[in-house]
């Protein structure tokens, strides 16, 4: 992703693969979420601490386009960039296999926020600088 603002590298673990020997489709969401949480930490924000403060960041919608499979021991990067769209913070994420730079997955994740018991109009994302 040419305009990514954050990247984390991970390695596929054997138990994440299905009987076909590739990463199970549901596992990719965990990779994406882990990258978003690490991104928050890189911006001096903790998902756990935000939750304790009554700021709930929630996935409203996720789209994933599977391009190529990952398999056991593959090392890969999860890259992301963000964009404010009204009340949402949109994460554009890609998973790239390191060995051949193959694009394995593209995702678009819409995140909304509740502050206290009210849906935020998105200003919380600006205040948190994320």
């Amino acid at each position: 992703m040419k305009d990514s603002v954050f990247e984390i590298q991970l390695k596929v673990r054997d138990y994440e693969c299905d009987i076909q020997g590739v990463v199970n489709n549901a596992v990719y969401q965990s990779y994406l979420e882990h990258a978003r949480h690490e991104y928050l930490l890189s911006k001096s924000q903790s998902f756990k601490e935000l939750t304790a403060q009554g700021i709930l960041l929630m996935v409203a919608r996720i789209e994933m386009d599977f391009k190529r499979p990952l398999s056991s021991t593959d090392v890969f990067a999860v890259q992301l960039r963000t964009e404010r769209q009204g009340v949402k913070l949109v994460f554009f994420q890609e998973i790239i296999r390191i060995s051949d730079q193959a694009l394995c997955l593209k995702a678009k994740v819409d995140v909304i926020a509740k502050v206290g018991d009210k849906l935020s109009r998105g200003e919380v994302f600006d205040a948190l600088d994320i």
Side-chain angles (χ1 to χ4, degrees):
M1 179 181 294
K2 64 180 177 195
D3 51 357
S4 69
V5 296
F6 182 78
E7 176 178 310
I8 184 171
Q9 288 192 6
L10 302 168
K11 183 178 181 179
V12 174
R13 296 163 287 207
D14 291 337
Y15 64 83
E16 296 171 328
C17 297
D18 60 24
I19 198 166
Q20 296 173 330
V22 297
V23 172
N24 181 276
N25 65 80
V27 174
Y28 288 90
Q29 285 194 52
S30 295
Y31 296 157
L32 298 174
E33 183 168 8
H34 183 67
R36 292 192 306 275
H37 284 223
E38 290 296 318
Y39 170 69
L40 285 175
L41 289 172
S42 79
K43 302 291 263 174
S44 300
Q45 302 294 337
S46 162
F47 187 78
K48 182 179 179 181
E49 290 173 13
L50 291 171
T51 301
Q53 296 168 22
I55 300 171
L56 305 177
L57 305 180
M58 301 171 290
V59 171
R61 179 181 173 90
I62 186 165
E63 299 173 23
M64 297 190 303
D65 296 321
F66 297 90
K67 303 296 187 179
R68 290 179 185 84
L70 289 169
S71 56
S72 183
T73 72
D74 279 345
V75 177
F76 60 95
V78 183
Q79 302 171 342
L80 67 81
R81 71 176 176 85
T82 61
E83 182 180 300
R84 274 287 305 283
Q85 292 181 1
V87 300
K88 302 179 293 188
L89 181 65
V90 180
F91 286 83
F92 296 93
Q93 295 183 261
E94 291 184 354
I95 294 179
I96 309 291
R97 187 172 40 236
I98 298 297
S99 63
D100 59 359
Q101 293 299 296
L103 174 63
C104 297
L105 180 125
K106 287 182 77 161
K108 179 182 174 220
V109 183
D110 295 346
V111 174
I112 59 171
K114 277 181 62 178
V115 179
D117 287 330
K118 294 185 179 183
L119 182 63
S120 166
R121 294 180 185 205
E123 67 279 352
V124 69
F125 300 123
D126 295 329
L128 296 172
D129 189 33
I130 56 173

